[in-house]
Amino acid sequence: MEETYLLNVEGVKKKILHGGQGELPKLQDGSKITFHFQTLKDNFERTVIDDSREAGMPMEIIVGKMFKLEIWETLLSSMRPGEVAEFWCDAIHTGMYALVSRGMRRIAEGRDPLEGQKHRCGMGNMFDYHSTGYDDLDELQQTPQPLIFIMELFRVEEPSAYKRDTWAMSKEEKLAAVPVLHREGNRLVLRKEFAQAAAKYQEAVICLRNLQAKEKPWEDGWLKLESLVTPLVLNYCQCQLELGEYYEVLEHTTELLQKHNDNAKAYFKRAKAHAAVWNEREAREDFLRVAHLDPSMAAAVKKELKQLGERMRKKHVEDRKRYQGLFQPPRGP
């Protein structure tokens, strides 16, 4: 079955290779489309550029989330589940393909798709890159040309039918997800499942950071979101202390204290991390800062300083014995 259609889009032709079933899906913002694709050059050899089956997993896009190759949403909206179709697309629709393919290939290779990318619009980034890192994509970038896409549509899921990643949520959905993730993290902490709890706190922080990026720093909207971020970061750091990830704690508490240098709890957690990695001077300074900022924590600080002193004395004794053994001359027979 190979019927050719002209879609109501300039520069696009469709050929159905295998018919699908049911009605055309009704796409809405937030719908998830799962499909396999193959990209070919429009030449005599029909040279294959990309094939999602070789990557071992189908492609997924979220409708309305500004996927860089907008024409794909149009192509997929003309397909039924189970359908396989071939689309010829003129160069006016394929100019961004090199950047899209570059990102997909990096993901398949286990690399960061945004590695080295500048904070600019997609078109600006295109001109910034002298090379995509792939010869065939460099050619497409330098000489935009028609491409052929062969697609097999598996399914279309409504927004409520699947668990969406945080980046795919709307502002309202992210705000609603944060307290849920916070509670889930607290529940996991009570069960001493610290790694899983840390992941929940981290996901909530990502939601809020994404929203903060759209606000002007230190203005009301930004500050309101920051007040939600701070306890989540502290909870995350507590989980990392339990897991022995002390340098992770040092990184996040230091970043937090650069914005909020009066947060006693952040100093306390950083002090414990310093103590764990034998940074005695830094640990003592942070513990003393805690007692100054929050007198109610003085007893806890006193206890920690006592433990720190005992650990350091024990370490000095062990170090002395070790070094003495290194420098003693060997005994004769």
Side-chain angles (χ1 to χ4, degrees):
M1 180 180 182
E2 294 194 4
E3 300 178 40
T4 301
Y5 298 90
L6 288 174
L7 301 184
N8 294 323
V9 180
E10 181 184 357
V12 176
K13 287 185 278 189
K14 175 183 178 181
K15 183 187 293 183
I16 296 178
L17 306 181
H18 184 278
Q21 297 178 342
E23 301 293 327
L24 284 174
K26 294 181 180 179
L27 301 182
Q28 56 181 303
D29 281 358
S31 295
K32 182 166 74 172
I33 309 175
T34 305
F35 60 100
H36 265 307
F37 75 94
Q38 192 178 51
T39 305
L40 305 91
K41 284 187 176 181
D42 183 24
N43 56 13
F44 181 76
E45 296 83 6
R46 288 169 63 95
T47 306
V48 176
I49 301 171
D50 289 308
D51 189 338
S52 63
R53 292 185 185 280
E54 289 187 0
M57 58 186 299
M59 180 73 180
E60 294 179 349
I61 63 174
I62 306 297
V63 175
K65 294 302 177 183
M66 299 180 67
F67 184 65
K68 287 180 181 178
L69 203 63
E70 295 180 10
I71 193 62
W72 273 15
E73 285 190 17
T74 302
L75 306 183
L76 291 162
S77 69
S78 74
M79 300 178 68
R80 292 173 170 81
E83 180 178 324
V84 181
E86 176 179 307
F87 299 91
W88 177 90
C89 293
D90 197 1
I92 59 173
H93 300 298
T94 63
M96 295 296 291
Y97 185 78
L99 289 183
V100 171
S101 176
R102 173 183 183 269
M104 292 188 294
R105 290 184 187 186
R106 283 178 174 271
I107 292 171
E109 294 165 3
R111 300 162 65 192
D112 181 359
L114 301 180
E115 180 182 325
Q117 183 164 311
K118 298 183 180 180
H119 254 332
R120 295 179 60 182
C121 68
M123 192 60 69
N125 276 315
M126 177 181 282
F127 291 113
D128 275 332
Y129 294 133
H130 298 292
S131 172
T132 62
Y134 304 94
D135 291 341
D136 57 342
L137 299 184
D138 287 344
E139 178 193 345
L140 292 180
Q141 184 165 278
Q142 293 162 10
T143 311
Q145 55 194 270
L147 293 175
I148 297 168
F149 302 112
I150 299 177
M151 295 179 161
E152 179 181 2
L153 178 62
F154 292 141
R155 58 185 173 274
V156 175
E157 299 171 88
E158 295 182 358
S160 59
Y162 67 95
K163 185 181 184 300
R164 275 181 287 175
D165 294 327
T166 53
W167 64 266
M169 295 180 179
S170 66
K171 177 181 179 179
E172 292 73 20
E173 289 169 332
K174 287 175 183 173
L175 286 173
V178 167
V180 175
L181 291 166
H182 200 156
R183 288 194 298 271
E184 289 178 357
N186 293 348
R187 179 178 58 81
L188 290 165
V189 166
L190 292 174
R191 294 165 54 178
K192 299 189 182 301
E193 297 178 14
F194 298 112
Q196 295 87 335
K200 296 295 182 182
Y201 294 135
Q202 187 178 45
E203 187 176 353
V205 169
I206 290 171
C207 281
L208 294 170
R209 292 298 190 205
N210 287 341
L211 295 174
Q212 263 191 322
K214 299 178 176 63
E215 301 286 343
K216 192 170 182 179
W218 302 105
E219 292 197 350
D220 290 345
W222 189 94
L223 289 170
K224 185 177 180 180
L225 293 167
E226 185 68 14
S227 68
L228 299 175
V229 168
T230 300
L232 288 163
V233 172
L234 291 173
N235 287 0
Y236 173 83
C237 288
Q238 183 60 43
C239 291
Q240 297 303 324
L241 282 174
E242 299 287 350
L243 294 168
E245 299 291 344
Y246 304 118
Y247 290 102
E248 181 91 354
V249 177
L250 292 175
E251 177 185 348
H252 288 285
T253 51
T254 299
E255 182 182 351
L256 187 62
L257 288 166
Q258 287 171 351
K259 300 177 190 173
H260 313 286
N261 61 6
D262 60 347
N263 191 303
K265 291 182 179 179
Y267 279 114
F268 189 79
K269 295 184 192 305
R270 190 172 74 171
K272 287 177 72 70
H274 274 309
V277 295
W278 309 105
N279 297 337
E280 181 181 13
R281 179 179 59 80
E282 292 88 345
R284 289 187 180 279
E285 288 177 357
D286 279 352
F287 278 132
L288 293 173
R289 185 73 62 88
V290 172
H292 174 73
L293 290 171
D294 188 352
S296 69
M297 298 181 69
V301 167
K302 184 177 180 181
K303 179 181 177 182
E304 293 289 342
L305 286 172
K306 182 180 178 182
Q307 291 177 351
L308 175 62
E310 291 171 353
R311 288 182 69 240
M312 295 308 300
R313 281 191 293 274
K314 184 177 179 181
K315 182 176 184 296
H316 292 326
V317 170
E318 291 174 351
D319 288 346
R320 194 179 305 116
K321 289 179 179 178
R322 186 179 303 115
Y323 295 140
Q324 284 174 349
L326 286 175
F327 295 109
Q328 281 182 350
R331 295 182 178 181

